[in-house]
Amino acid sequence: MTVLIAFATVEGQTAKIARFISSVAKNAGFNAKLFNTDEMSSHVSLDDVVKVVLLAPVHERRHPESFEAFVASNRDALMKRKSLVLSIGLKAAFVSGREEARDYLNEMLRGP
């Protein structure tokens, strides 16, 4: 079973988290496909992918452009698979910021 781990990173922290998730998936017996949306040079096939982990940092209410473009251009294929979306940001670390952090994710998933 193939798990796609698609991520974007700004300062490298999200890449570390993505590599950790990939390692955990491989140790659990999954075929993990790690994909950095910032290095997207061509279409990524989701044909053999059963589960998806999407993760990206939030800066000024937005996820990196390459990540948002990947999610938007693959929306239909992603909706057909079990997915986990991790929006990485400091706001969520504090109870007072969690609702706002949730809004960032909802805005991105809603699309243009």
Side-chain angles (χ1 to χ4, degrees):
M1 182 179 322
T2 300
V3 176
L4 175 68
I5 302 155
F7 71 97
T9 192
V10 174
E11 297 171 355
Q13 298 306 310
T14 306
K16 289 179 185 178
I17 296 167
R19 286 191 299 271
F20 176 78
I21 292 169
S22 177
S23 174
V24 169
K26 287 177 182 176
N27 288 338
F30 293 96
N31 175 24
K33 188 187 290 187
L34 194 59
F35 175 69
N36 183 341
T37 62
D38 292 329
E39 298 170 357
M40 192 165 47
S41 58
S42 62
H43 176 74
V44 174
S45 173
L46 298 178
D47 292 342
D48 63 335
V49 173
V50 177
K51 298 180 185 222
V52 179
V53 179
L54 302 166
L55 60 157
V58 176
H59 289 282
E60 298 181 15
R61 297 190 64 91
R62 298 298 307 258
H63 296 85
E65 187 177 325
S66 69
F67 181 77
E68 290 188 1
F70 174 79
V71 171
S73 66
N74 291 284
R75 184 175 305 279
D76 292 339
L78 293 170
M79 295 296 289
K80 295 176 184 173
R81 289 158 177 83
K82 291 187 178 189
S83 301
L84 170 66
V85 181
L86 300 172
S87 183
I88 312 299
L90 192 55
K91 281 279 187 187
F94 303 97
V95 174
S96 62
R98 289 192 183 141
E99 186 174 334
E100 185 177 345
R102 195 172 298 117
D103 288 344
Y104 306 156
L105 182 60
N106 289 335
E107 288 168 11
M108 192 235 359
L109 293 175
R110 210 173 300 124

